[in-house]
Amino acid sequence: MADSIQQQLQQLVLLSDSVGSGGAGSGGVSTVEEAMEQLGPLIHSVYRANKQKLFRQQVELFAQRKDAEIMKLCGNYHQEFVQSVAQLLKVRQNTSELQEKVVGLNAELQQSGKTLYEKKAELLSLRREHRNIQKAIDTVKGSVEVVRMVASFDEQVNDKQFYAAIKTLGTLKDTYMPQVRKYAFGRLLETSIPKMENKLQGAALSDMKDWLYGLKKTTRDIGYQLTQRMKKKQVMWAERDSSIKERYFVSSAVQFVLDEEFDHDDPITVEMMPLYQCLHINEKLGRRAEFRRSFTEDRSDQLNLILASPVQFVLTNLTSFASMLHDIIGFFIVEHNIMASAPDFRSKSDVDALWETGIAKLSDIIARNIQTIREDSEVAGVLQEMLTTFTYVMEENANDVRKLRELMMAIFES
């Protein structure tokens, strides 16, 4: 019986060994169950046979054998275990040191990041300041240029450099005003632009009127020169007519054509620059129509002043009437020059209307003094020569002289 219990206990030990080495797989679980199933009947047999002491001895032998195996196993791997533990402790220490370094580096990185952020913020602030400063500099430069141009404009107007002044004003309005209009200085300057335009127009108009006033002597000189030239031509015509055996009437128009071959006199020129400047200024300012009306009124007033000059029809003092005729000739020579150089400004109809007015008033002057003229044959003769020469001069310069001829016929052939 004891042998049987010992064999069963050995089988159980072997089974236990197989359980210990079988792992945690499904096979290990079934072996444990088998061991438990076998253990139960074994313990039952031990108690039934009253072999508890033997069973305990076998169990103690089993435990001793296992302890020996454990000691052997520990003895074989103890040094490696100790070394591993020492290495683990060293790794732990190194890990702690590394962690401290990482924490330190993190703190330094955080500080560096904070410093970098502050520097970046400072850089952005400086860039904004730089942009604002640059913008301010550009604005100041533009404002300085605007002020310089305004000063230059005033100098140009004062120096009568009207072409340069209108160019400066145009640049100021078109280029610089859009840049400075958003500033109070620019808005104030913008309200001054119309005043600057009026100043320029007024200066150009004043210069042109000074020119018109100065034309009074020039026109009289022109009239005198053309009258003297025509007198020479009349002498030549008389000589030409006397050489013709058969007396034919040769009109003045034919005489003018015949004289072209021998006419070497220099053409009469009139300085028109003030007028052209004023016209250009008013065109640029959009005031051409206004200037045209003003110029027409001024020229009409000038002609009326010429025809309002006091004249005497006495033999010893016909120079006043001769001067009037010279003024009329010079006046219309200027008109024809303007018409030829600026036909869209001064039309033929404008000049013809003035000519009609002039002839009408000249006729009125002669009509008021007709009795005095007829009473003195010498006066009548000199006056006839004056009017004849005047008629030829005006006809040569493309004026309609039919009413003049009718006037002469009414005075001297009635």
Side-chain angles (χ1 to χ4, degrees):
M1 184 65 180
D3 293 337
S4 176
I5 292 173
Q6 187 175 4
Q7 289 177 355
Q8 290 179 1
L9 185 58
Q10 287 178 353
Q11 290 178 357
L12 184 61
V13 171
L14 293 174
L15 185 60
S16 298
D17 291 340
S18 65
V19 171
S21 61
S26 58
V29 175
S30 61
T31 307
V32 171
E33 291 176 353
E34 291 177 2
M36 293 301 294
E37 290 176 356
Q38 294 179 15
L39 183 61
L42 176 61
I43 295 173
H44 180 72
S45 299
V46 169
Y47 276 92
R48 192 174 56 186
N50 197 17
K51 297 295 183 181
Q52 293 91 337
K53 185 177 179 180
L54 178 61
F55 180 75
R56 189 168 51 251
Q57 291 175 350
Q58 292 296 322
V59 170
E60 288 176 355
L61 288 174
F62 174 75
Q64 291 175 0
R65 190 169 61 250
K66 290 298 180 183
D67 286 341
E69 291 178 359
I70 291 172
M71 290 300 293
K72 182 180 180 182
L73 181 63
C74 290
N76 293 335
Y77 296 99
H78 176 72
Q79 187 62 33
E80 295 179 1
F81 175 74
V82 171
Q83 291 178 353
S84 297
V85 171
Q87 290 178 355
L88 182 60
L89 291 174
K90 187 175 181 181
V91 168
R92 181 181 178 183
Q93 182 181 0
N94 293 337
T95 303
S96 298
E97 293 176 356
L98 182 61
Q99 185 177 4
E100 291 177 359
K101 290 182 179 180
V102 169
V103 172
L105 288 173
N106 182 59
E108 291 179 4
L109 182 61
Q110 292 291 334
Q111 183 62 35
S112 298
K114 182 179 179 181
T115 304
L116 178 62
Y117 174 78
E118 292 174 352
K119 293 295 183 181
K120 182 68 175 179
E122 184 180 357
L123 178 61
L124 291 175
S125 177
L126 289 174
R127 284 181 177 176
R128 283 193 296 269
E129 291 178 4
H130 178 267
R131 285 196 298 268
N132 292 337
I133 292 172
Q134 188 61 46
K135 187 176 180 180
I137 291 173
D138 294 339
T139 302
V140 170
K141 284 182 179 179
S143 300
V144 169
E145 182 63 18
V146 168
V147 173
R148 187 195 66 78
M149 293 190 71
V150 171
S152 178
F153 170 82
D154 289 336
E155 290 178 2
Q156 290 164 350
V157 171
N158 294 334
D159 294 340
K160 297 184 179 182
Q161 299 175 9
F162 301 126
Y163 286 119
I166 192 64
K167 185 178 179 181
T168 300
L169 184 60
T171 303
L172 186 64
K173 288 168 58 178
D174 300 336
T175 303
Y176 288 96
M177 281 309 305
Q179 299 176 10
V180 299
R181 186 178 288 121
K182 56 187 175 182
Y183 305 109
F185 161 75
R187 291 191 293 272
L188 179 62
L189 178 62
E190 190 171 23
T191 60
S192 302
I193 292 296
K195 296 179 181 178
M196 295 173 69
E197 292 178 345
N198 292 336
K199 179 179 180 179
L200 175 58
Q201 183 191 28
L205 188 61
S206 175
D207 186 61
M208 191 271 294
K209 288 189 175 183
D210 290 342
W211 168 75
L212 284 178
Y213 180 79
L215 278 180
K216 183 176 182 181
K217 182 179 184 305
T218 302
T219 52
R220 182 169 292 182
D221 291 341
I222 291 173
Y224 177 78
Q225 291 180 33
L226 292 178
T227 299
Q228 294 304 114
R229 290 181 184 182
M230 184 54 64
K231 286 181 179 180
K232 292 179 180 179
K233 289 181 180 181
Q234 286 176 283
V235 172
M236 186 174 62
W237 293 350
E239 293 175 352
R240 182 187 297 153
D241 290 343
S242 64
S243 65
I244 300 176
K245 294 180 180 180
E246 296 183 8
R247 305 299 296 173
Y248 293 102
F249 173 73
V250 180
S251 68
S252 56
V254 174
Q255 296 282 17
F256 293 146
V257 172
L258 293 175
D259 287 343
E260 288 181 357
E261 183 179 354
F262 306 101
D263 192 356
H264 302 298
D265 293 326
D266 295 330
I268 300 295
T269 59
V270 181
E271 174 58 45
M272 297 286 185
M273 181 59 70
L275 173 62
Y276 295 149
Q277 285 189 142
C278 196
L279 177 58
H280 177 73
I281 296 303
N282 281 273
E283 283 181 346
K284 290 295 184 180
L285 296 178
R287 304 176 183 181
R288 178 190 175 91
E290 175 188 344
F291 173 62
R292 189 172 184 273
R293 288 192 298 271
S294 174
F295 184 80
T296 300
E297 293 173 0
D298 289 341
R299 291 299 282 170
S300 179
D301 291 342
Q302 278 194 316
L303 181 61
N304 290 334
L305 285 174
I306 291 173
L307 294 168
S309 301
V311 294
Q312 294 180 355
F313 291 93
V314 294
L315 188 61
T316 57
N317 194 17
L318 283 175
T319 54
S320 59
F321 185 70
S323 296
M324 177 184 287
L325 295 180
H326 295 161
D327 288 342
I328 294 173
I329 292 171
F331 178 90
F332 283 100
I333 291 299
V334 171
E335 284 294 318
H336 281 286
N337 273 270
I338 297 173
M339 183 178 66
S341 59
D344 55 339
F345 172 70
R346 199 73 172 146
S347 66
K348 188 176 186 304
S349 61
D350 294 332
V351 179
D352 289 344
L354 282 176
W355 173 246
E356 293 293 330
T357 300
I359 293 302
K361 291 191 175 183
L362 184 63
S363 299
D364 290 341
I365 292 172
I366 294 175
R368 288 196 302 269
N369 295 275
I370 188 65
Q371 189 65 32
T372 303
I373 295 171
R374 287 181 173 177
E375 287 177 354
D376 192 332
S377 59
E378 291 187 21
V379 170
V382 174
L383 186 61
Q384 184 177 11
E385 290 180 4
M386 287 183 179
L387 289 174
T388 300
T389 302
F390 174 73
T391 302
Y392 285 151
V393 172
M394 300 310 295
E395 183 181 17
E396 187 178 28
N397 287 279
N399 290 280
D400 187 354
V401 295
R402 286 175 296 180
K403 290 187 178 180
L404 264 178
R405 295 189 187 283
E406 292 172 0
L407 175 64
M408 291 176 64
M409 290 178 64
I411 296 173
F412 303 113
E413 296 183 12
S414 59

